[in-house]
Amino acid sequence: MQNSEAVALSAAVLAVAGELTQRIHEGVVARGFEGVRPAHGFAFVRLAPDGATVTDLAAHLGVTKQAASQLVEELVRKGYVERRPHPGDARARLIVLTERGWACTRAAEEAAADAVRPWVELLGEGEVRVLCDRLLRIAPYGPIRPAW
């Protein structure tokens, strides 16, 4: 692959990722979840289904523990997460989604489906499945990190 092709591919993937993030965010807000940011959604991905510590969340987001703590505090204030005793470490706290956090996550799933529907219309369901398979081969587990 030529450098110019690599740059074009990089630009296309980044453009799609940025548009997808924006469309999901807009869909979440349209479903009544005011005051959330895309970074919150990236955190929710790590917190579902079993919760995580602030250290786990920081590693997932690629930020410092202090930044993750501030994000958690904001999400607690907004009612999306709560702190619980960690079942395996008395010194740690487990951050888990509240019912409001789960509802927001479901709204994001619906918004994601809406966001990729035009891809299916453009490429066909089979091509979108192939695209998904190829992307999962490149980056099978994430982590999904926000760009600030």
Side-chain angles (χ1 to χ4, degrees), residues 2-143:
Q2 298 292 321
N3 286 352
S4 60
E5 293 171 317
V7 168
L9 175 60
S10 299
V13 169
L14 290 170
V16 168
E19 179 183 347
L20 185 59
T21 300
Q22 185 60 35
R23 294 204 50 212
I24 293 170
H25 174 69
E26 290 169 355
V28 168
V29 171
R31 286 167 173 81
F33 295 92
E34 299 284 331
V36 292
R37 298 179 285 127
H40 297 148
F42 292 114
F44 290 1
V45 167
R46 178 60 185 90
L47 297 175
D50 299 321
T53 64
V54 169
T55 300
D56 296 334
L57 188 58
H60 175 76
L61 295 174
V63 300
T64 65
K65 286 195 306 188
Q66 293 80 5
S69 291
Q70 289 175 347
L71 182 68
V72 166
E73 186 57 40
E74 179 182 1
L75 292 172
V76 167
R77 278 193 320 272
K78 292 181 179 193
Y80 291 105
V81 303
E82 64 185 15
R83 294 180 184 92
R84 293 186 182 161
H86 193 287
D89 184 350
R91 299 168 296 154
R93 303 285 285 167
L94 194 62
I95 312 305
V96 297
L97 295 173
T98 62
E99 183 50 45
R100 180 175 169 82
W102 281 110
C104 187
T105 299
R106 289 188 295 274
E109 290 171 356
E110 293 169 5
D114 290 347
V116 300
R117 196 165 289 117
W119 301 359
V120 174
E121 293 168 4
L122 179 66
L123 302 174
E125 192 168 325
E127 287 290 324
V128 172
R129 287 185 193 279
V130 169
L131 174 63
C132 181
D133 178 62
R134 299 298 190 268
L135 291 172
L136 287 172
R137 285 175 56 195
I138 294 168
Y141 304 111

